[in-house]
Amino acid sequence: MKIIGLRSSAGLAEKVADQLHSELVMPDERRFPDGELYLRYDTDMSGEDVFIIGNTHTDGEIMEMILTLSAVRDYAVKSVNIIAPYYGYARQHQRYKRGEPISSQILTEIFATYSRSIATVDIHDEQTLSYSKVKFTNLHADRSIIDFYRNVDIDYIVSPDDGGLERVKHVAESLGKKYFYIEKKRIDDRTVEMKAPDIDIRGKKVLILDDIISTGGTIAKSSSILRQKGASRIYVSAIHGLFVNSSESKILENADEIHVTDTVSGKFSDISVYQVVSDYINGLYA
Ligand code: R5P
């Protein structure tokens, strides 16, 4: 088995390779003068199951994945498997208006043509899985979050909308904490209206847990509401921390700490999903 670590996921791929006692393979990469990506793999992968760990969020990451799928075919590999910890474009998993692409469908169809299996972590909507003709597994990072907060003094775990309630319920029940959700109405891409339930949280320590921090609007507003209601300490966590336009500064106006997983690496990604990914790979051989 070989683990390939693309740029977006090099740290996570290294941990997975360590855990599985496998060789970590990195591409040699450079840019052509016109900006196009060149890459090459100089490691013999003949006869190996190859697991490519890399996100498919930015256009550059998608291109790196596609070129890698082609490059590894030059070795007589046993199989090629994609693990995209953050599966991009999953929010456009259906056509909302005439003339739009179903972005996650076309990407998935391309990836499935050149791989034996695909896996991701907490995809935004599982409809995307149905677009794959190969096995497509949605892994869950809940246990990484639970392990991280096991010894942290928290009173309530809060979902910033009802859609995330199942995850919050599971994490809260595993940690023996109380939980609730905030009612959220999305007005447009950047504006949300939110209303907390009538629960007394004065002097309480709360953890707000969501699937994605993108512009940070949802989490910033939730933090502000909970602070106004008297929360004494506010932890913020999400599976995927994108932090568009440095949104951490508006979150930290009210929140005390931010911890996200390393599906997207960044300065707050101190919760690792390497065990979840490693167990998934091991499970394929069970
Ligand atoms: C919404 O359905 C998701 O669970 C997140 O709450 C949302 O994607 C977060 O986006 P933003 O950080 O831009 O508010």
Side-chain angles (χ1 to χ4, degrees):
M1 178 199 303
K2 301 277 188 218
I3 306 290
I4 291 182
L6 302 188
R7 276 171 307 171
S8 59
S9 305
L12 174 59
E14 191 178 349
K15 286 184 180 147
V16 172
D18 263 10
Q19 177 78 3
L20 298 176
H21 307 293
S22 294
E23 185 184 355
L24 175 67
V25 177
M26 305 287 288
D28 295 328
E29 291 191 351
R30 63 182 168 81
R31 293 271 163 191
F32 289 108
D34 61 0
E36 292 177 358
L37 177 64
Y38 168 89
L39 59 72
R40 176 170 182 254
Y41 289 88
D42 194 18
T43 303
D44 185 10
M45 295 180 255
S46 314
E48 302 278 359
D49 287 321
V50 174
F51 290 85
I52 307 167
I53 304 185
N55 288 341
T56 56
H57 173 225
T58 65
D59 298 353
E61 288 165 0
I62 292 168
M63 204 57 210
E64 191 187 24
M65 178 65 78
I66 289 173
L67 296 187
T68 294
L69 288 169
S70 171
V72 297
R73 284 155 68 95
D74 206 27
Y75 296 96
V77 296
K78 188 169 163 202
S79 72
V80 181
N81 305 272
I82 295 174
I83 298 177
Y86 179 63
Y87 202 85
Y89 286 89
R91 284 189 273 192
Q92 186 77 25
H93 58 85
Q94 56 181 291
R95 189 170 277 122
Y96 299 92
K97 289 183 189 153
R98 190 167 177 222
E100 287 179 349
I102 305 178
S103 309
S104 77
Q105 179 179 25
I106 184 67
L107 280 185
T108 302
E109 285 172 356
I110 294 169
F111 297 149
T113 301
Y114 295 98
S115 63
R116 182 186 64 176
S117 70
I118 306 173
T120 187
V121 179
D122 289 290
I123 196 163
H124 182 70
D125 189 294
E126 291 206 342
Q127 185 169 348
T128 295
L129 275 54
S130 70
Y131 299 136
S132 177
K133 66 178 181 194
V134 299
K135 179 179 155 78
F136 192 158
T137 307
N138 186 28
L139 305 169
H140 296 289
D142 293 10
R143 61 185 253 230
S144 310
I145 305 267
I146 292 164
D147 284 347
F148 185 85
Y149 282 102
R150 198 172 296 286
N151 298 312
V152 180
D153 184 13
I154 290 168
D155 300 297
Y156 283 96
I157 306 187
V158 181
S159 173
D161 57 30
D162 60 344
L165 189 58
E166 274 310 303
R167 173 180 301 107
V168 160
K169 179 172 185 273
H170 175 232
V171 171
E173 287 179 349
S174 303
L175 292 171
K177 309 292 181 194
K178 291 178 272 196
Y179 62 93
F180 62 86
Y181 75 95
I182 297 174
E183 272 180 49
K184 168 175 146 185
K185 194 168 148 203
R186 186 167 278 286
I187 308 300
D188 58 39
D189 282 0
R190 286 164 193 276
T191 325
V192 288
E193 267 178 18
M194 307 185 76
K195 187 170 177 290
D198 195 13
I199 295 172
D200 186 5
I201 55 163
R202 276 172 296 179
K204 302 293 184 198
K205 301 171 200 72
V206 297
L207 161 62
I208 309 170
L209 176 60
D210 204 355
D211 61 342
I212 302 176
I213 296 175
S214 178
T215 66
T218 303
I219 289 280
K221 188 95 190 230
S222 307
S223 307
S224 155
I225 289 172
L226 298 181
R227 185 65 83 194
Q228 277 166 29
K229 281 177 72 67
S232 60
R233 188 154 194 89
I234 300 175
Y235 298 87
V236 159
S237 274
I239 313 294
H240 313 292
L242 302 179
F243 299 103
V244 176
N245 296 332
S246 306
S247 45
E248 67 264 25
S249 51
K250 70 179 169 197
I251 295 171
L252 289 169
E253 280 171 20
N254 284 292
D256 298 286
E257 294 183 31
I258 306 175
H259 304 280
V260 295
T261 82
D262 56 358
T263 58
V264 179
S265 76
K267 72 177 182 189
F268 299 108
S269 55
D270 52 0
I271 305 175
S272 185
V273 297
Y274 81 92
Q275 196 67 56
V276 173
V277 173
S278 305
D279 287 354
Y280 160 73
I281 295 175
N282 268 332
L284 296 175
Y285 294 93

